[in-house]
Amino acid sequence: MAVGLDRRARRALALMGIERWTLRAAGESAEAGERRARDSEAAPAAPASAPAGAVPAPAPAPPPLADTIDVEAMDVDALRATVAGCQRCGLHRTRANTVFGVGSLQADWMFVGEAPGAQEDRQGEPFVGRAGHLLNAMLHATGRERQAVFIANVLKCRPPNNRDPSADEAAQCAPYLQRQIALIRPKVIIALGRIAAQRLLGVDTPLGRLRGRAHQWQTDSGPVPLVVTYHPAYLLRSPGEKRKAWEDLRLIMELSA
């Protein structure tokens, strides 16, 4: 009923802190604000530099993942173990932990972020900092709890200094995420932030033009709605956008009803 939804909306706005509005910097785009909002903690120390004049031997490019392991045949335990030991790209040299994902394997909603931050890298769990607390509040406002959904990332390892994932890093991790989606079979996939949305959809369209409607993720059993919304870290820095995030949550609820 509309009355119930309005009451839930007011509750969500309070939980999400929308009453405290601030403007983002003049001329700053949502994408720039999202990047500025990322975890700024220092990355693990880089290996010592080679002596001056030395030319390091290039690392051989790994073969395509599908050529080495059959990810599509894995159950969740085998997939988790494979991710934990993955050395498909250079990120394994600087990570503390892989971040496989958490939540219910029968979840109706599956959230996909960009990559782990410093706290996630230390704990091996996605969205555990301030952004995670806001995501939990957003879920609570819809009548769901964290353990009832599934939360993952495009990358399973943290990029140093929280830089953007490279195309190769995203490609090496893509089969893991695809298998997670196939195993969980969510009713709705939610892309959190510009980079997650662009990687999932294979586009370079700005986030503002991607949100507000349902896209499609193709599976063997048919298309699954995919909704794009703001990353919680960006919402912490730009709370004036939380109203739009609530609109996205309402769309997600409608699609999974």
Side-chain angles (χ1 to χ4, degrees):
M1 295 176 61
V3 173
L5 187 58
D6 289 342
R7 189 185 309 113
R8 178 174 287 178
R10 289 194 297 271
R11 179 174 173 233
L13 297 181
L15 285 167
M16 293 165 63
I18 285 183
E19 66 272 16
R20 295 190 298 274
W21 284 38
T22 60
L23 297 176
R24 62 173 176 254
E28 181 181 54
S29 66
E31 291 81 7
E34 179 185 328
R35 180 174 298 180
R36 183 164 57 86
R38 290 185 199 154
D39 186 345
S40 60
E41 298 181 46
S49 301
V55 179
L65 190 58
D67 292 350
T68 57
I69 54 176
D70 188 5
V71 173
E72 293 184 359
M74 291 183 179
D75 62 17
V76 68
D77 292 331
L79 185 64
R80 189 188 304 272
T82 300
V83 168
C86 182
Q87 298 184 9
R88 298 295 309 170
C89 72
L91 294 182
H92 77 274
R93 290 190 289 268
T94 55
R95 74 187 180 211
N97 291 288
T98 56
V99 182
F100 180 78
V102 294
S104 171
L105 297 179
Q106 291 78 45
D108 287 343
W109 294 3
M110 181 171 179
F111 290 85
V112 180
E114 173 190 339
Q119 295 185 63
E120 288 79 12
D121 180 54
R122 285 194 294 268
Q123 298 185 38
E125 181 173 336
F127 289 88
V128 295
R130 293 180 62 227
H133 294 319
L134 178 56
L135 180 58
N136 294 345
M138 293 165 67
L139 286 170
H140 186 70
T142 68
R144 287 170 171 78
E145 303 300 331
R146 182 182 177 95
Q147 61 268 24
V149 304
F150 196 88
I151 306 171
N153 282 306
V154 171
L155 293 193
K156 308 308 183 189
C157 298
R158 181 196 183 207
N161 301 315
N162 294 337
R163 62 163 170 76
D164 288 352
S166 71
D168 178 67
E169 290 162 354
Q172 296 297 341
C173 264
Y176 298 142
L177 179 60
Q178 292 166 1
R179 184 56 181 161
Q180 285 179 306
I181 295 173
L183 288 167
I184 295 165
R185 302 180 67 180
K187 288 185 178 179
V188 185
I189 300 167
I190 302 99
L192 296 171
R194 173 182 60 87
I195 291 178
Q198 292 175 345
R199 294 296 182 188
L200 284 168
L201 294 172
V203 300
D204 58 5
T205 308
L207 182 143
R209 291 171 54 192
L210 292 174
R211 57 165 299 277
R213 58 193 174 95
H215 305 268
Q216 300 294 322
W217 175 274
Q218 296 298 326
T219 71
D220 291 340
S221 57
V224 176
L226 189 155
V227 175
V228 175
T229 191
Y230 297 105
H231 194 288
Y234 171 68
L235 295 176
L236 289 170
R237 296 296 297 267
S238 300
E241 304 287 13
K242 288 180 179 179
R243 188 175 300 278
K244 294 180 182 178
W246 172 245
E247 294 171 359
D248 297 334
L249 288 173
R250 292 179 65 174
L251 173 59
I252 294 163
M253 286 189 283
E254 291 173 6
L255 291 169
S256 59

